[in-house]
Amino acid sequence: MKITSSLEYGMRLMAAIAKEDGDAPLSAEKLSREENIPLDYTNQILWKLKSAGVISSRRGSGGGYSLARPPHEITMDRVVIALEGSIFEDVCSKYADAPRECHHQSGCSLSPLWRRLGTLLAEFFSSTTLEDLIRREPATARVEFIPPGRPLPMR
Amino acid sequence: MKITSSLEYGMRLMAAIAKEDGDAPLSAEKLSREENIPLDYTNQILWKLKSAGVISSRRGSGGGYSLARPPHEITMDRVVIALEGSIFEDVCSKYADAPRECHHQSGCSLSPLWRRLGTLLAEFFSSTTLEDLIRREPATARVEFIPPGRPLPMR
DNA sequence: CCTAAACTTGACTAAAACACTCAGGTATCG
DNA sequence: CGATACCTGAGTGTTTTAGTCAAGTTTAGG
């Protein structure tokens, strides 16, 4: 699994804006320079973040971008969805093309796996806030594993 | 985040071979037909799984593929690594290109996030076995979230 | 032995996704 | 009113994905 550049950049931009919180808005040009991201690409990513309502903007001279809400109210799943459309693409519907019996029906071995992974990722990103990200000793959601004890009920 | 077709197919093939465990080996042609995967692509994927030592093969007429070990000893991370090379690509080294200060050094906000996500995914796949997958009431690793309590130490 | 079944291996290719770039437009401040 | 800075859609080169193709080698069974 990979992280796309736009997601990496988007998160860096969010962190940079959050660190400036309260002061004057940050221009795309300054963000681009500081984060070492091509200007046009920066603009595109900022526009997506704005469309998703996670940052706000002010036009004209002296304008720029600032957070739409305080850092602890912004969860990272919003950022992921803003830039990629979803946290985890639905695998089952994508490969449900078999002629007589669908490979992801009730008897399917894989759908529970993908469903769990989707839930896991969704919880990971939704339980991490922007405030967690910009903390000096950063904290993201902590996750504990319970090994799959033999008869383990599905959620 | 997405699941590639080769990973989806690879897992389906593993599950199909596991269900046949003990009987005669399954030929690529039969697997291809049953799982509705193009034959040449099936061959390619089976070859990768074999190279990774997760299945074994017998050549010649009557040959085919079977598991290299019992289902409960095969963890899914082996399958992912066999087909994609790694569980989670290292983001930090990929984007460490800044001129004066690296964006993923000690002061970086993002590296803990990606490190945690990498750990999370690795634990998810390594704690799910092929046996979990082919169970009628399937069980993958259960994951519990502990919301990021305010001063939360990094692992 | 010899032929058909079946795996082995590498090279090739079309299509999609990704990572940008470009070109204009619109609003706001001083 | 003009410079600053956001707004928006369209275009493009590169890489990855998802397969295809072709020419092997090995083995079982008649």
Side-chain angles (χ1 to χ4, degrees), chain A:
Chain A
M1 299 192 129
K2 296 173 184 175
I3 297 300
T4 60
S5 70
S6 67
L7 183 55
E8 158 79 11
Y9 292 162
M11 294 220 175
R12 287 220 300 247
L13 292 171
M14 290 301 294
I17 295 168
K19 282 175 184 161
E20 202 75 8
D21 202 26
D23 305 347
L26 273 165
S27 73
E29 196 278 330
K30 194 174 181 189
L31 283 166
S32 162
R33 201 157 14 83
E34 283 178 356
E35 294 298 327
N36 205 41
I37 303 168
L39 177 58
D40 285 323
Y41 202 22
T42 304
N43 275 318
Q44 192 180 89
I45 292 165
L46 288 169
W47 177 77
K48 285 183 183 171
L49 292 170
K50 199 214 148 147
S51 300
V54 82
I55 56 176
S56 59
S57 61
R58 225 173 61 200
R59 294 172 102 153
S61 129
Y65 296 91
S66 46
L67 296 182
R69 299 155 155 279
H72 72 273
E73 289 182 17
I74 300 176
T75 53
M76 299 319 287
D77 60 337
R78 300 285 305 273
V79 176
V80 179
I81 290 169
L83 297 170
E84 316 225 296
S86 70
I87 301 281
F88 185 65
E89 193 188 30
D90 183 32
V91 190
C92 298
S93 64
K94 190 174 177 184
Y95 294 104
D97 52 2
R100 42 183 58 193
E101 80 181 68
C102 166
H103 288 283
H104 279 106
Q105 296 302 12
S106 60
C108 162
S109 308
L110 265 63
S111 54
L113 183 79
W114 300 139
R115 218 167 24 242
R116 285 236 171 187
L117 183 54
T119 303
L120 183 63
L121 291 171
E123 289 188 4
F124 177 80
F125 285 114
S126 68
S127 61
T128 303
T129 71
L130 190 51
E131 188 176 25
D132 298 325
L133 215 65
I134 62 175
R135 198 185 303 286
R136 182 88 188 106
E137 206 68 43
T140 61
R142 182 166 49 172
V143 175
E144 296 281 321
F145 272 87
I146 294 147
R150 279 315 85 143
L152 183 67
M154 283 303 293
R155 179 189 302 222

Side-chain angles (χ1 to χ4, degrees), chain B:
Chain B
M1 297 192 130
K2 297 172 182 174
I3 297 301
T4 60
S5 71
S6 67
L7 183 56
E8 158 80 11
Y9 292 162
M11 293 217 175
R12 287 219 301 247
L13 292 170
M14 290 301 294
I17 295 167
K19 282 174 183 159
E20 202 75 10
D21 201 26
D23 304 347
L26 273 165
S27 72
E29 196 278 330
K30 194 174 182 193
L31 283 166
S32 162
R33 200 157 16 81
E34 283 179 356
E35 294 299 325
N36 204 42
I37 303 168
L39 177 58
D40 286 322
Y41 202 23
T42 304
N43 275 318
Q44 194 181 85
I45 292 166
L46 288 169
W47 178 78
K48 284 183 182 172
L49 291 171
K50 201 217 145 142
S51 301
V54 82
I55 56 176
S56 59
S57 61
R58 225 174 61 202
R59 295 171 101 155
S61 125
Y65 296 91
S66 46
L67 295 184
R69 299 154 155 281
H72 72 273
E73 288 183 19
I74 299 177
T75 52
M76 299 319 286
D77 59 337
R78 299 285 306 271
V79 177
V80 179
I81 290 170
L83 298 171
E84 316 225 296
S86 71
I87 302 281
F88 183 65
E89 193 189 31
D90 182 33
V91 190
C92 298
S93 64
K94 190 175 180 185
Y95 294 103
D97 53 1
R100 43 182 59 193
E101 81 181 68
C102 166
H103 289 283
H104 280 104
Q105 297 302 14
S106 60
C108 161
S109 308
L110 266 64
S111 53
L113 182 79
W114 300 140
R115 219 169 21 244
R116 285 236 172 188
L117 182 55
T119 303
L120 182 65
L121 291 171
E123 288 188 4
F124 177 80
F125 285 113
S126 68
S127 60
T128 303
T129 70
L130 190 52
E131 188 176 25
D132 298 325
L133 216 65
I134 62 176
R135 197 187 303 286
R136 182 87 186 108
E137 205 68 45
T140 62
R142 182 166 49 169
V143 175
E144 295 281 319
F145 272 87
I146 295 148
R150 280 312 88 141
L152 183 67
M154 284 301 292
R155 176 188 304 220

